[in-house]
Amino acid sequence: MSCKSLFLKKYIVLLSEKMGKTILGISTSPRRNGNSDLLLKKALAGAESDGASIEYLSLNDYEINPCIECNSCYKTGKCVLKDDYPQVLEKLLNADGLIFATPVFFMSVCSQAKMLIDRGQCLWAEKYILKKENKSSTSNRRAMVIATGGSRSIKQYECIRWIFKTYFDCLGVKYVSGLFVGKVDEFGAIEKHPTAFKEAYRLGVMLSTPGTPLPEKPIEVEIINT
Ligand SMILES: Cc1cc2nc3c(=O)[nH]c(=O)nc-3n(C[C@H](O)[C@H](O)[C@H](O)COP(=O)(O)O)c2cc1C
């Protein structure tokens, strides 16, 4: 095979891999078009520009109730609560890439995000008590986190990282990148930020690019506006 046709073949394989990718963005903020939500949309635009198909969901459109610690899932791996959780879970398990966006609330994720994450106990039970692999555990799925905070504190992102790392382990996705932006407080503040959108877009492209080896360490961008 000539060099030219080899190159063409490689290009077609790469393109078809990209076309098949689905990147799901999960906006958890109660504020629609707020700071984290807008960054998420930008990251999704980056993924789309790279050929991935994208889906956006806002937890505001779903009823997700808190875990009641009944431990029923320890026997079945399933949650007994009746709400929209199964719909969201199906999307989370089927996407090739996930981007979670949250505001920082009291040094942590917002309650809407935490309610979703706590319902992941059924995934934890399935994996660690029932010792069942869910179909995503063996795949090469990747995840990114976006968080925005009003203060300059860097410590709060450490807390958020740990929460998502633990959750991603249960979801069967690898944490590959994070964008943490401080000093953006009021509604719309992010739109005046000099670099945050550019970084969101860049990391969105990176998340959707197939064939790239997983980074040894997650790529994390912390921007604390002074
Ligand atoms: C209940 C509540 C708690 C907050 N706690 C923090 C905090 O601990 N640290 C911080 O930097 N900002 C905190 N903030 C500010 C938000 O993180 C900040 O405004 C963020 O940009 C909001 O993102 P959003 O527009 O995507 O919701 C808090 C805001 C609220 C409403």
Side-chain angles (χ1 to χ4, degrees):
M1 200 183 281
S2 74
C3 228
K4 207 171 162 189
S5 44
L6 245 174
F7 175 78
L8 200 69
K9 197 174 161 199
K10 213 170 165 191
Y11 177 74
I12 291 168
V13 171
L14 198 70
L15 201 69
S16 59
E17 278 178 10
K18 279 177 192 250
M19 298 309 279
K21 284 225 155 210
T22 315
I23 307 291
L24 174 68
I26 306 99
S27 183
T28 68
S29 171
R31 217 154 55 164
R32 287 181 199 270
N33 292 318
N35 297 323
S36 57
D37 191 39
L38 290 184
L39 283 181
L40 170 64
K41 286 172 179 161
K42 198 53 153 186
L44 286 172
E48 192 173 34
S49 77
D50 202 42
S53 35
I54 55 162
E55 187 178 351
Y56 164 90
L57 73 80
S58 164
L59 289 186
N60 292 312
D61 298 324
Y62 294 85
E63 185 197 345
I64 308 278
N65 293 309
C67 170
I68 55 167
E69 211 179 354
C70 65
N71 295 352
S72 303
C73 60
Y74 287 19
K75 295 194 184 86
T76 62
K78 301 274 175 278
C79 185
V80 292
L81 295 181
K82 300 279 175 252
D83 58 13
D84 296 332
Y85 179 65
Q87 272 181 61
V88 175
L89 180 62
E90 199 188 328
K91 289 176 191 288
L92 292 174
L93 292 178
N94 286 320
D96 299 300
L98 302 174
I99 310 176
F100 279 86
T102 180
V104 182
F105 280 4
F106 282 89
M107 311 291 278
S108 183
V109 296
C110 63
S111 349
Q112 289 80 352
K114 192 63 166 60
M115 282 201 277
L116 173 68
I117 291 169
D118 288 352
R119 295 288 290 282
Q121 186 71 349
C122 57
L123 299 170
W124 180 87
E126 199 174 39
K127 185 168 177 181
Y128 291 106
I129 295 185
L130 303 172
K131 313 270 183 223
K132 276 197 217 157
E133 289 283 319
N134 73 43
K135 69 175 179 200
S136 357
S137 331
T138 47
S139 69
N140 192 21
R141 301 186 328 129
R142 299 167 182 210
M144 169 180 170
V145 173
I146 295 172
T148 56
S151 79
R152 274 199 197 93
S153 162
I154 305 177
K155 281 191 184 145
Q156 55 198 9
Y157 302 113
E158 197 52 31
C159 172
I160 289 175
R161 261 180 218 125
W162 277 110
I163 292 172
F164 277 108
K165 277 185 197 168
T166 312
Y167 183 47
F168 290 161
D169 172 61
C170 295
L171 270 178
V173 284
K174 288 164 194 85
Y175 171 55
V176 295
S177 53
L179 175 60
F180 306 102
V181 185
K183 286 290 285 166
V184 281
D185 207 359
E186 67 283 359
F187 186 81
I190 200 69
E191 298 191 74
K192 297 181 207 114
H193 197 284
T195 54
F197 282 118
K198 204 169 140 212
E199 290 295 348
Y201 192 87
R202 181 176 77 83
L203 293 174
V205 172
M206 202 197 80
L207 187 79
S208 72
T209 304
T212 48
L214 282 172
E216 260 174 51
K217 270 177 44 184
I219 296 169
E220 293 180 324
V221 180
E222 280 180 1
I223 320 173
I224 312 302
N225 222 358
T226 45

